[in-house]
Amino acid sequence: MNLQKAATDLTYFAANLRIPSAKGDSRFDQVWADYQREYFDQIGPSLLAVERGEQPPCNQYWDERTKGGSKDTDNSVVLLHALAFSKRPLDMQVGAADRDQAGEVRKAIRDILRLNPQIAQRVEVQAWSVVCKATKCECTILATDVASAHGARPDILFLNELSHISQEEFAANLFDNATKKPRGLRIVATNSGFRGTWQERWRNTARDGHGTRWFYHTLSEPAPWLSQEELEEAERRNSKARFLRLFWGVWVAQLGDALDEEDIKAAITDKPMPKTRHTFYVAGLDLGIRHDHSALVVLQGDRSTQQLALAFAKNWSPNPSTGKVDLMQVEQAVYSAFQRYGLAKVGYDPYQAELLSQRLALRKVPMHEMTFVGANLNLMANTLLDVFRSRRIQLYDHPRLIADLNRLQIEEKSYGYRLSATRNEDGHADLATALAIALPLAVEAAGKTPIVAGPLDEDYSKTPFERELSRLEKKQATAHELAGYGTCESGGRENMFRAMNDLMRNDPLFQQFHRR
């Protein structure tokens, strides 16, 4: 690569870079699509003007593409050019929904530098910034889930994946600060999103301003390097709304895209799941303490059929006067569910429920940590999608839970997937979150081979307490029979004492009293 020519021509610079692609490490111009070259041709003059400190012909760019359309790579090339060749020191910012998303840009820049030693000699990737000592340019990577200084006035702002940024204030602060540099450059990159949201309002502003204040660029079809087989697999893997949004650039209704409405409706029934010898119960607890809701969901499962059913669901709103959830009510509800259903496990996130879980564990409730780390978040998301799409779960008509399920969105992360929902007056889809916590426990329990000895107990449909009482009554009848009550047989008293001794030695209940 001729660095002198690269410094004055963004398209030439991009074309001669080696990048990781679907075909392996390749020179960019050997694998790029026409729309990518057009993007570099369009944004190049504005970028060079900013690097020289001049007024760019257009300083606002909307870059909307379908999944896999190379937004991160292409805009990382733009940032790298400014870092390596700017004629003046530039402050740059990358804003993203969270650290996972922000890390995608950092990774794209690092991968390009790895394959291009000439540029890597000038540009260095640090923890959450990219710097060039020669040009004294720095690019800071920011995310909504970490504290950051919104007061900076960047010369170049890159807002990445706008459709995933939940806080408009975060995006607006960054954008407003960037507008204070009239000779700066502002780039918004995103997939298509949801109708009726603030992201759609921003998109309409950019589209209406195309040719004057904005350059509006969209790719509304699958990326050309995605095969038909990959698209068919993606269609099977995703809900209809999510597939259309991500792979065909369709802005969809403001409902969650994790589950199809048809799958949710198919799960609703007024017929309870029958209890059998293979029945078990597990629960999920989503705990909110301050200014958030809490929820408990109990699932019934059957190890012989692998089917699951909603047995109980309850949520708690914060007290208006204190802004807090009454945790004593939550604790008592979990314990009552344990007594009523004989819960095998209660899943919870220890981040906010550690003390509550310890108190319940002291009361013999089998608490099970479901820490919200990448592996568990991915497990919860995939399990929920699988049980609804395979029609393995049935729900009774619970309007609040159903509303929460319809709000669920699924986000792709470096570790896989996670479920999310925008906060509203009813919280963060807390009932759906509690269900998602319980489902992996239920699927695991349902997968265990049932071990049943003897004939089905005719009292199986009773509660655990009722079954224990029935068992003791049968033992009492056995003792009476051995003692010869109601007969004239000799030795009845000896038989009674022998039966009582057997009970004392072998029955766990009598052993408890004996130990005490």
Side-chain angles (χ1 to χ4, degrees):
M1 182 191 301
N2 184 325
L3 294 183
Q4 287 185 331
K5 184 174 182 181
T8 60
D9 188 337
L10 174 64
T11 304
Y12 172 84
F13 171 69
N16 287 274
L17 286 174
R18 292 189 64 80
I19 65 161
S21 73
K23 299 179 180 179
D25 298 342
S26 308
R27 211 173 84 158
F28 205 169
D29 63 353
Q30 294 177 345
V31 294
W32 67 15
D34 291 342
Y35 71 84
Q36 292 176 278
R37 173 165 186 151
E38 292 169 2
Y39 182 69
F40 292 128
D41 287 343
Q42 177 63 40
I43 202 172
S46 295
L47 178 67
L48 295 177
V50 171
E51 293 174 1
R52 295 191 297 264
E54 301 171 357
Q55 181 66 43
C58 179
N59 58 8
Q60 298 185 137
Y61 285 77
W62 182 274
D63 184 19
E64 182 180 318
R65 306 189 195 181
T66 53
K67 189 172 181 61
S70 192
K71 296 187 304 297
D72 290 344
T73 296
D74 293 7
N75 285 292
S76 294
V77 169
V78 173
L79 296 174
L80 274 175
H81 189 280
L83 284 162
F85 301 118
S86 177
K87 304 299 188 293
R88 64 191 182 101
L90 296 177
D91 289 326
M92 294 177 271
Q93 287 183 341
V94 174
D98 52 35
R99 284 217 164 193
D100 287 324
Q101 197 65 59
E104 292 300 313
V105 176
R106 179 175 174 272
K107 179 179 182 299
I109 292 175
R110 188 180 64 230
D111 287 344
I112 295 173
L113 293 176
R114 174 177 57 83
L115 298 175
N116 296 273
Q118 284 180 294
I119 310 301
Q121 291 174 2
R122 300 173 63 83
V123 179
E124 178 185 358
V125 177
Q126 298 180 350
W128 290 101
S129 63
V130 187
V131 299
C132 178
K133 294 181 179 179
T135 60
K136 296 183 172 56
C137 293
E138 180 175 3
C139 179
T140 305
I141 301 174
L142 306 173
T144 60
D145 57 355
V146 294
S148 54
H150 300 311
R153 300 181 180 182
D155 299 285
I156 299 177
L157 171 67
F158 175 47
L159 272 178
N160 193 27
E161 292 296 359
L162 188 74
S163 63
H164 294 307
I165 297 177
S166 59
Q167 301 177 26
E168 182 180 11
E169 182 181 5
F170 171 81
N173 281 339
L174 294 182
F175 209 86
D176 290 343
N177 290 334
T179 60
K180 297 174 184 177
K181 291 286 188 76
R183 295 184 178 183
L185 182 64
R186 300 175 286 280
I187 306 168
V188 177
T190 186
N191 296 128
S192 56
F194 300 93
R195 298 197 300 269
T197 59
W198 64 268
Q199 291 94 335
E200 187 189 32
R201 187 175 72 250
W202 282 40
R203 177 238 195 182
N204 293 340
T205 299
R207 183 185 58 191
D208 296 343
H210 177 61
T212 55
R213 294 181 53 80
W214 285 85
F215 171 74
Y216 182 74
H217 172 262
T218 61
L219 174 67
S220 297
E221 60 184 27
W225 36 81
L226 294 179
S227 68
Q228 185 63 33
E229 290 77 12
E230 288 174 311
L231 287 174
E232 290 174 356
E233 182 178 327
E235 186 172 10
R236 291 193 299 268
R237 185 175 61 245
N238 294 281
S239 66
K240 294 177 183 177
R242 178 176 167 83
F243 178 73
L244 291 173
R245 183 174 67 83
L246 292 182
F247 293 93
W248 288 96
V250 178
W251 286 70
V252 299
Q254 194 179 355
L255 291 172
D257 63 354
L259 294 170
D260 282 328
E261 187 176 5
E262 293 83 356
D263 289 335
I264 298 175
K265 287 182 178 179
I268 301 172
T269 178
D270 57 359
K271 296 180 180 179
M273 178 185 286
K275 296 180 182 179
T276 71
R277 72 179 78 180
H278 307 306
T279 295
F280 65 90
Y281 294 90
V282 298
L285 175 64
D286 180 42
L287 189 64
I289 298 176
R290 184 181 294 274
H291 303 298
D292 212 342
H293 296 64
S294 296
L296 173 68
V297 166
V298 176
L299 291 178
Q300 176 184 346
D302 191 298
R303 292 189 180 93
S304 63
T305 64
Q306 309 289 298
Q307 289 296 113
L308 308 173
L310 176 66
F312 174 81
K314 182 175 178 59
N315 66 287
W316 294 265
S317 300
N319 187 311
S321 60
T322 64
K324 297 180 181 180
V325 170
D326 187 338
L327 296 185
M328 297 300 292
Q329 289 185 7
V330 178
E331 179 180 344
Q332 186 55 42
V334 176
Y335 186 68
S336 296
F338 166 65
Q339 289 184 304
R340 178 181 178 185
Y341 297 105
L343 299 175
K345 286 183 180 180
V346 179
Y348 70 99
D349 177 12
Y351 175 69
Q352 290 185 316
E354 186 63 41
L355 179 60
L356 183 66
S357 70
Q358 291 178 11
R359 290 172 55 89
L360 287 165
L362 289 174
R363 302 173 76 178
K364 308 303 181 184
V365 180
M367 305 300 291
H368 179 86
E369 284 192 10
M370 185 66 77
T371 310
F372 280 21
V373 295
N376 285 339
L377 291 170
N378 183 53
L379 174 64
M380 290 161 56
N382 281 293
T383 304
L384 181 135
L385 298 183
D386 177 67
V387 297
F388 274 90
R389 291 174 185 168
S390 61
R391 309 293 168 89
R392 287 180 58 191
I393 187 168
Q394 63 184 54
L395 311 173
Y396 61 82
D397 190 5
H398 192 296
R400 177 69 179 276
L401 173 59
I402 294 166
D404 281 0
L405 289 170
N406 276 305
R407 290 174 50 216
L408 283 181
Q409 299 176 19
I410 189 164
E411 302 176 16
E412 188 169 357
K413 298 295 179 182
S414 57
Y415 51 77
Y417 296 95
R418 80 171 183 187
L419 299 167
S420 66
T422 305
R423 181 197 295 273
N424 64 12
E425 66 276 6
D426 294 326
H428 268 122
D430 306 273
L431 280 166
T433 303
L435 176 64
I437 292 172
L439 278 171
L441 305 180
V443 169
E444 179 185 25
K448 294 181 179 178
T449 303
I451 301 175
V452 179
L456 177 63
D457 188 344
E458 65 274 10
D459 293 332
Y460 193 85
S461 60
K462 297 181 179 180
T463 66
F465 175 78
E466 291 171 335
R467 291 201 300 272
E468 182 65 17
L469 182 61
S470 177
R471 188 179 69 84
L472 291 175
E473 289 174 346
K474 289 178 181 179
K475 284 186 177 291
Q476 184 183 39
T478 301
H480 284 195
E481 182 180 350
L482 289 173
Y485 280 1
T487 72
C488 297
E489 296 178 4
S490 63
R493 184 179 299 275
E494 289 78 2
N495 287 339
M496 180 185 71
F497 283 127
R498 187 181 306 114
M500 294 303 297
N501 285 332
D502 288 342
L503 287 174
M504 292 287 288
R505 285 196 305 271
N506 302 319
D507 189 273
L509 181 66
F510 282 90
Q511 288 175 1
Q512 278 187 343
F513 289 112
H514 184 67
R515 284 196 296 269
R516 293 179 183 176

